[in-house]
Amino acid sequence: MAEIRPKQNVVIETSEAQIAVHWREEEYYYPPAKFVGQANLTDPDILERFSEKNFPECFREYADLLSWDRYWDTTLDTSDPPFWKWFVGGKINASYNCVDRHLAKYKNKAALIFVPEPESEAPVSVTYRELYVRVNEFAALLRDFCGLKSGDRVTIHMPMVPELPITMLACARLGVIHSVVFGGFSGEACGMRVADSQSHVLITMDGYYRNGKLLDHKAAAEIALSTAKHEGQTVDKVLVWRRHAGQNASATPFVKGRDFFVDELLPNYAGELVAPVPMDAEAPLFLMYTSGSTGKPKGCQHRTGGYLAYVTGTSKYIQDIHPEDVYWCMADIGWITGHSYIVYGPLALAATSVIYEGVPTYPDAGRVWRIAERLDVNIFHTSPTAIRMLRKSGHDEPTKYNYHFKHMTTVGEPIEPEVWRWYYETVGKREAVIVDTWWQTENGGFLCSTKPALDPMKPGSAGPGVPGIYPVIYDENNQEVTAGSGKAGNICIRNPWPGIMQTIWGDHDRFVTQYYAKYCKNRSSKDWHDWPYFASDGAVLAADGYFRILGRVDDVINVAGHRLGTKEIESACLTVPEVAEAAVVPVADEIKGRVPEVYIALKPGVQASQEIVDKVNKVIETMIGKIARPKHIHIVSDMPKTRSGKLMRRVLAALSNNMKTGDITTLANPDVVESIRELVQGKEVVALTDGPEDLKRFGTEE
Ligand code: PRX
């Protein structure tokens, strides 16, 4: 179905809008009556309250869930598009809202329950009172020992332990901007983020458990610091939390005057209280780096007031969190899901939020359900990859445990209807409502989802826009793709919302070009209607108003719900001296959804060898982390290219996935395709398919 037409001398694919997407419409599932009976959001009037005619004032309803030091004057300021400002003039502190204000009613209630990976270590509860004490003491240390103040940036590279939210909330108390880097990212990846955010302080941990092993995590800090230094950024202090009191899980030597164990410093701040700093609603709360279509990760800068209001409102209405709930989100706090829906949203609502240190299937497939039973978890939140993994490793395990979820979430990737049904029937025991929430690091909180007590569920579809979000699908010609047309296009959000990022840290131009340039109707307009947000996801809109998300339309691979830029992996490959060219494509994986596959061409005169393959593997692991590990590395004689020299990743993606390559006659070197096909698929010709939408459309060619 590929159509070749000239555009700026480049061969491009059939446009989004012309791709018809066929799938079986799934049956509706209705929210269980027991859930509806206790839900926070049961009033259908919400649609009217959050309708366009009440925008932007509708978002007062979310902001009013918070305690403000100063009430705001202007709900939405659109004077400098697309740099929207929310709750302007308001002052607020996120740490106060997640901790202090709950003391009167909930001081003895667990704020956090930490579940260590080894089952021999009992879960540890941190009450709201205890959280208050620990956040204050650590804030005093950050202020008085590290000299940190509002607006400074701190990089946090930590595993899933309660000290991570304590650290974040201590920063927020001072107005220090935290930048949490996923603990599984390599030291180099962490160092690049330290440099980009210009952090002078790195907070880490000696070690943590993963899959039964106590890992040396501090070792990564050493690499991070030398990487940051190479980029021109010096770190003065490294604060190291300790996994076990009195022990050191790291073999890395301490540098005197630079590295400090937190538990050796904290006694100096025992019982100290730090007044929460009233921050401008628009002051940045944190940075969260994510991958895009260039080699350099971008620091999504999130504001204090709007972000906190948005995650609190959506946690209440979409996650249905009440203070008496035990809520467990299995994401890592090092990703946006963990920030919004383990830390800020649930704690702002005084819930009990569970933090699990390790691997869901350690030591066996029943672990997750044992934790749910023991803690009496009633809200469960995870990704399709985790669901697929749990289903494969223990199909009937959930039935052996006596837990009862009222609500479950899936996030991060499209979920296959049959996997959804296992989640609903076996994990949820047909008692729990499911929300399939679509959103992104940039967005702060949910964009599309069903309202759990009000809308029926449809397996595989996220649902309509959540209250106050008006999504639309546009084709490549700026035309709206109509509901029920069966056509795919680019999903956009027509309006600003309080959770949207403020900008890309240090790169305002990239913010505008990446998210707004494509569909902006008038660059000089100050009317938000002219500035739709381009999400970089393909989607289809069914006649009932439910969006089905098809996947990224840029050079991003969604691996187990985590974003990896193909360009980042390619840049890593190119640091191996023997490699002349590298191309990275997604390949379908039964558990992780998509994983990267690498193609490399060697410099003239270099012989292919296992040693080169090993080097490429190693460099990807050290520069990015284990999550980017490729499924295969293929050494090819040449890359498929257009006559203008453009590398055709789409053709490689087709070969990797046994898909039809489409018309390749216009390539400069069509013969190379057959030789790569043999290398990848073997001599026998295999049956080819059309392939899933995201793989068919993979790779920007312009
Ligand atoms: O492609 C979409 C996919 O994950 C991308 C965002 O990744 P990240 O910024 O890491 O945030 C993940 C968690 C918020 C999106 O562009 N995605 C996210 N949620 C869904 C999804 N795809 C399908 N269905 C979802 N529910």
Side-chain angles (χ1 to χ4, degrees), residues 116-385:
E117 192 192 71
E119 281 189 291
S120 55
E121 285 187 36
V124 179
S125 297
V126 180
T127 63
Y128 273 96
R129 173 71 202 179
E130 181 61 15
L131 184 63
Y132 172 74
V133 171
R134 298 188 66 185
V135 166
N136 270 285
E137 290 179 353
F138 194 61
L141 188 160
L142 292 178
R143 183 190 60 190
D144 299 342
F145 183 73
C146 301
L148 290 167
K149 53 181 190 326
S150 307
D152 291 345
R153 278 83 54 207
V154 161
T155 299
I156 305 172
H157 192 216
M158 287 178 67
M160 284 289 283
V161 289
E163 288 77 10
L164 175 50
I166 287 169
T167 303
M168 292 160 67
L169 292 165
C171 289
R173 202 164 186 85
L174 299 169
V176 169
I177 304 168
H178 58 71
S179 168
V180 179
V181 176
F182 168 54
F185 271 139
S186 68
E188 279 191 36
C190 176
M192 295 303 288
R193 289 156 174 80
V194 167
D196 191 76
S197 62
Q198 300 131 316
S199 299
H200 289 287
V201 175
L202 174 67
I203 306 177
T204 183
M205 188 146 197
D206 61 342
Y208 64 102
Y209 286 97
R210 192 141 187 95
N211 243 333
K213 285 202 218 70
L214 183 59
L215 305 181
D216 178 346
H217 184 64
K218 159 81 169 32
E222 226 44 62
I223 300 165
L225 260 56
S226 56
T227 306
K229 188 153 193 185
H230 187 253
E231 297 288 309
Q233 181 65 24
T234 312
V235 170
D236 316 318
K237 287 198 170 64
V238 179
L239 301 181
V240 186
W241 290 95
R242 229 194 272 261
R243 177 63 178 80
H244 293 287
Q247 298 175 22
N248 185 357
S250 174
T252 323
F254 259 45
V255 175
K256 213 166 171 282
R258 188 199 72 184
D259 300 354
F260 302 91
F261 274 124
V262 174
D263 60 352
E264 289 174 0
L265 300 172
L266 272 177
N268 301 330
Y269 305 95
E272 279 211 26
L273 294 181
V274 174
V277 179
M279 299 300 295
D280 259 4
E282 277 293 308
L285 177 62
F286 66 86
L287 307 179
M288 167 64 58
Y289 282 84
T290 191
S291 299
S293 46
T294 70
K296 191 168 166 260
K298 47 197 179 194
C300 298
Q301 178 183 319
H302 284 280
R303 55 172 63 82
T304 306
Y307 170 82
L308 197 63
Y310 196 69
V311 298
T312 307
T314 49
S315 291
K316 180 161 182 171
Y317 288 163
I318 307 295
Q319 292 290 284
D320 196 54
I321 294 179
H322 301 63
E324 41 291 342
D325 290 326
V326 180
Y327 168 88
W328 183 15
C329 170
M330 283 217 305
D332 195 288
I333 294 173
W335 305 110
I336 192 70
T337 303
H339 275 47
S340 301
Y341 298 112
I342 297 178
V343 181
Y344 286 111
L347 296 184
L349 293 172
T352 298
S353 190
V354 176
I355 296 178
Y356 174 53
E357 178 177 34
V359 173
T361 47
Y362 181 84
D364 56 59
R367 184 65 194 276
V368 166
W369 321 122
R370 280 201 292 287
I371 295 172
E373 181 183 85
R374 176 170 177 147
L375 304 183
D376 201 13
V377 171
N378 67 340
I379 307 183
F380 184 68
H381 186 155
T382 194
S383 64
T385 288

Side-chain angles (χ1 to χ4, degrees), residues 25 78 81 132 139 160 168 190 204 212 281 284 301 330 439-440 446 448 489 536 548 582 593 627 657:
E25 267 293 344
T78 62
Y132 172 74
M160 284 289 283
M168 292 160 67
C190 176
T204 183
Q301 178 183 319
M330 283 217 305
W439 60 297
Q440 312 170 303
F446 306 142
C448 284
S536 294
R548 183 176 168 112
I627 52 164
N657 290 284

Side-chain angles (χ1 to χ4, degrees), residues 290 335-337 410-415 436-442 462 535-537 549-552 558 561-563:
T290 191
W335 305 110
I336 192 70
T337 303
T410 157
V411 63
E413 320 151 61
I415 186 165
D436 178 346
T437 57
W438 169 73
W439 60 297
Q440 312 170 303
T441 305
E442 292 87 341
S536 294
D537 270 325
I549 307 299
L550 302 170
R552 303 287 305 191
N558 191 335
H562 303 138
R563 268 160 74 168

Side-chain angles (χ1 to χ4, degrees), residues 321-618:
I321 294 179
H322 301 63
E324 41 291 342
D325 290 326
V326 180
Y327 168 88
W328 183 15
C329 170
M330 283 217 305
D332 195 288
I333 294 173
W335 305 110
I336 192 70
T337 303
H339 275 47
S340 301
Y341 298 112
I342 297 178
V343 181
Y344 286 111
L347 296 184
L349 293 172
T352 298
S353 190
V354 176
I355 296 178
Y356 174 53
E357 178 177 34
V359 173
T361 47
Y362 181 84
D364 56 59
R367 184 65 194 276
V368 166
W369 321 122
R370 280 201 292 287
I371 295 172
E373 181 183 85
R374 176 170 177 147
L375 304 183
D376 201 13
V377 171
N378 67 340
I379 307 183
F380 184 68
H381 186 155
T382 194
S383 64
T385 288
I387 302 168
R388 289 189 287 258
M389 194 168 78
L390 292 164
R391 177 175 180 243
K392 190 166 184 216
S393 59
H395 193 281
D396 299 323
E397 281 299 303
T399 60
K400 300 179 191 161
Y401 296 92
N402 184 22
Y403 66 82
H404 296 277
F405 296 150
K406 68 165 183 178
H407 182 290
M408 304 193 300
T409 302
T410 157
V411 63
E413 320 151 61
I415 186 165
E416 301 78 359
E418 62 278 19
V419 176
W420 189 99
R421 274 188 279 273
W422 180 76
Y423 198 36
Y424 180 76
E425 279 159 19
T426 308
V427 176
K429 306 176 179 179
R430 298 169 183 259
E431 299 166 330
V433 81
I434 296 182
V435 288
D436 178 346
T437 57
W438 169 73
W439 60 297
Q440 312 170 303
T441 305
E442 292 87 341
N443 309 152
F446 306 142
L447 294 180
C448 284
S449 165
T450 47
K451 293 172 281 304
L454 289 171
D455 303 326
M457 304 163 252
K458 191 160 74 171
S461 292
V466 296
I469 300 290
Y470 320 127
V472 61
I473 298 182
Y474 288 126
D475 67 14
E476 292 295 334
N477 305 317
N478 296 3
Q479 296 303 307
E480 191 171 333
V481 176
T482 50
S485 67
K487 299 269 166 67
N490 296 317
I491 186 165
C492 296
I493 308 298
R494 288 198 293 113
N495 61 306
W497 66 100
I500 180 69
M501 66 197 278
Q502 292 176 294
T503 185
I504 294 173
W505 177 258
D507 200 345
H508 303 312
D509 290 346
R510 192 172 167 199
F511 174 69
V512 180
T513 42
Q514 175 75 45
Y515 305 107
Y516 294 96
K518 190 167 172 78
Y519 289 113
C520 181
K521 294 172 194 154
N522 173 5
R523 285 288 191 118
S524 54
S525 167
K526 296 198 187 309
D527 178 350
W528 62 260
H529 292 88
D530 291 325
W531 293 85
Y533 166 84
F534 168 59
S536 294
D537 270 325
V540 199
L541 176 58
D544 58 8
Y546 279 37
F547 289 88
R548 183 176 168 112
I549 307 299
L550 302 170
R552 303 287 305 191
V553 295
D554 56 5
D555 298 310
V556 167
I557 306 182
N558 191 335
V559 185
H562 303 138
R563 268 160 74 168
L564 291 174
T566 51
K567 298 280 190 307
E568 277 168 71
I569 308 176
E570 288 168 6
S571 313
C573 297
L574 291 172
T575 64
V576 173
E578 292 87 346
V579 173
E581 280 181 299
V584 172
V585 299
V587 57
D589 180 89
E590 195 196 342
I591 301 292
K592 294 181 177 170
R594 304 284 175 264
V595 285
E597 185 147 296
V598 172
Y599 287 83
I600 49 177
L602 302 175
K603 287 185 182 154
V606 180
Q607 288 299 313
S609 69
Q610 183 59 37
E611 200 193 331
I612 297 176
V613 170
D614 294 344
K615 273 196 201 173
V616 171
N617 252 321
K618 178 97 190 119

